Amino acid sequence: MPTILVLVDHADGVVRKTTTELLTLARRAGDPVAVFLGSGYESARETLAAYGATKVYVAESSDFGTYLVAPEAEVLAQIAATTEPAAILLPSSPDGKEIAGRLAVKLQSGIITDAVDIDADLTTTQSVFAAEYSVTSRVTHGTPIITVKPNSAAPEPAASTPEEEKVTVSISDTAKRATVVERSERETTGRPDLAEAAVVVSGGRGTGGDFGPVEALADALGGAVGASRAAVDSGWYPHAHQVGQTGQTVSPQLYIAAGISGAIQHRAGMQTSKTIVAVDKDPEAPIFAMVDFGVVGDLHTVLPRATEEITKRQG
Ligand code: FAD
C-alpha cells in the first residue's frame, strides 16, 4: 500500500477533528502515516491510533511554535524525502495552506488546495463559484500535496497500533528568520469550535446587531455561533465566525440561520449541514428554499422562546 502522509493539526497535542477527517480520506488511497510536529504528542497518540494511522513520525520541538510555519514545512519536506509518499494531506487552515505552498516549492510538486473530496486514485474534488460547480483534478507532477477543507468527510474510526518514529529536528537558520513575538488568546467563550461544532446558530443582518438571542440559543444547544458577512461587515461579530464563501465552511448536524436571507455566498459555507432551520420575518426570503424547517417570524421573539423551551426540557 502506498504511504499517504497526513500532517496532524493539533493544539498542544489535542488533535483537531480535521485530522480525523484527513486520516479517513487517506485510508482510501493507502496507508495513512501521521506526522506530528510540536509538543504534547502523548495527548495525540490515542486519537491517531483510533483513526487508523499505521505509523506516526513524531518531531517534538518548541521551535515549531516560535518561527511561524517555515520549520514545519522544512521538517515535513525532510520526512517526505525519506518516505516517498504517494501524497501529502494537510488541513485547509491558514497555516496548513501556507505549509502546503512552501512544501510544494521544496518538493517541486503540484498542489491542490481546498479539496472537498479525495478518491482512491488521488483524484480530488474542489467546490468552486459558491459551490455551483465541482472541479475534479489530479496532481501530475511530483508528490501530490492536497489541502482539505474541514467537514469534507465524516471521520470513521479504524483502530490501529501505529509504529512510532522519533524524528530528530534540525531546522535551518533560513526557516528561523521570522519569529513570533507575541500571541494573544482568542476570546474564550467556552463554546465549541465553529468548524467542528455539531450545532451552529448563526445570525445575520436581521439581528440588528444584537447577537444575544443567537448566543443564548447556541448555549442552550451546546453549539457554536456563526455570522453572515453582513453581520461581520457591520462590526457586530468577529470575522472568525463568518460562515460562507469567504468565511468558514461548516457541516453540523443542525444549522440554525436567524435573520439571514440565504445569499449564495452564505449557502456555500453551510449547505451540507444535515438539518437546516431558518428563522426570518420575510416569508419570501431565499433561505426558505433550502431549509428542512422554516419559521416565519421576528428572531428576537422566536429565538428566546426556543431557548426557553429547550432549557425547560433539559430540566
Ligand atoms: P440580508 O441579505 O440583508 O438578509 C437579512 C435577512 O434578515 C432578511 O431575509 C430579512 O428578512 C431578515 N430579517 C430582518 N430583520 C429580521 C428579524 N427581526 N427577524 C428575523 N428576520 C429578520 N455572505 C456570507 O454570509 N458569507 C460569506 O462568506 C460571503 N462571502 C461573500 C463573497 C463575495 C465575493 C460576495 C460578493 C459576497 C459575499 N457574501 C457573503 C455576502 C452575501 O452576498 C450577502 O450579502 C450576505 O450573506 C447577506 O447577509 P444577511 O443574509 O445577513 O443579510
Side-chain angles (χ1 to χ4, degrees), residues 73-108:
E74 198 166 277
V75 174
L76 199 47
Q78 286 162 12
I79 294 170
T82 53
T83 52
E84 297 184 357
I88 305 173
L89 310 188
L90 305 95
S92 271
S93 58
D95 279 1
K97 285 202 265 193
E98 189 179 340
I99 295 169
R102 288 170 178 270
L103 194 59
V105 173
K106 286 177 191 298
L107 301 181
Q108 294 289 291

Side-chain angles (χ1 to χ4, degrees), residues 127-134 264 267-268 271:
S127 180
V128 299
F129 295 127
E132 286 291 293
Y133 295 90
S134 287
I264 189 169
R267 297 204 307 258
Q271 61 194 355

Side-chain angles (χ1 to χ4, degrees), residues 204-206 228-230 242-247 259-261 263 265-266 280-282 285 297-300:
R205 204 193 308 269
S228 72
R229 177 160 161 183
Q242 184 176 314
V243 172
Q245 186 183 331
T246 43
I260 293 176
S261 62
Q265 296 89 354
H266 187 79
D280 201 292
K281 67 178 187 186
D282 177 5
D298 187 328
L299 70 90
H300 295 102

Side-chain angles (χ1 to χ4, degrees), residues 68-298:
L68 302 182
V69 298
E72 272 100 326
E74 198 166 277
V75 174
L76 199 47
Q78 286 162 12
I79 294 170
T82 53
T83 52
E84 297 184 357
I88 305 173
L89 310 188
L90 305 95
S92 271
S93 58
D95 279 1
K97 285 202 265 193
E98 189 179 340
I99 295 169
R102 288 170 178 270
L103 194 59
V105 173
K106 286 177 191 298
L107 301 181
Q108 294 289 291
S109 292
I111 178 171
I112 292 173
T113 57
D114 291 339
V116 293
D117 202 9
I118 303 176
D119 288 345
D121 66 354
L122 295 171
T123 300
T124 64
T125 305
Q126 289 161 298
S127 180
V128 299
F129 295 127
E132 286 291 293
Y133 295 90
S134 287
V135 176
T136 53
S137 43
R138 297 193 68 203
V139 169
T140 54
H141 186 83
T143 306
I145 295 166
I146 304 166
T147 78
V148 182
K149 280 194 152 193
N151 296 309
S152 294
E156 289 165 16
S160 64
T161 315
E163 177 195 339
E164 288 169 12
E165 184 172 328
K166 297 268 182 218
V167 177
T168 312
V169 179
S170 75
I171 296 163
S172 69
D173 289 342
T174 320
K176 292 182 178 176
R177 281 193 297 208
T179 310
V180 176
V181 287
E182 192 188 329
R183 286 179 195 280
S184 50
E185 284 289 314
R186 247 195 356 196
E187 26 137 23
T188 45
T189 58
R191 298 190 185 103
D193 193 56
L194 180 60
E196 301 189 355
V199 177
V200 174
V201 185
S202 288
R205 204 193 308 269
T207 60
D210 176 11
F211 265 66
V214 174
E215 291 183 332
L217 182 56
D219 289 343
L221 293 166
V225 175
S228 72
R229 177 160 161 183
V232 171
D233 285 353
S234 302
W236 299 340
Y237 228 69
H239 179 260
H241 293 259
Q242 184 176 314
V243 172
Q245 186 183 331
T246 43
Q248 299 218 43
T249 303
V250 299
S251 192
Q253 295 297 320
L254 173 62
Y255 186 86
I256 302 176
I260 293 176
S261 62
I264 189 169
Q265 296 89 354
H266 187 79
R267 297 204 307 258
M270 45 65 78
Q271 61 194 355
T272 54
S273 304
K274 306 298 170 292
T275 301
I276 299 173
V277 177
V279 180
D280 201 292
K281 67 178 187 186
D282 177 5
E284 304 297 326
I287 190 99
F288 286 129
M290 65 175 305
V291 299
D292 298 287
F293 302 98
V295 182
V296 177
D298 187 328

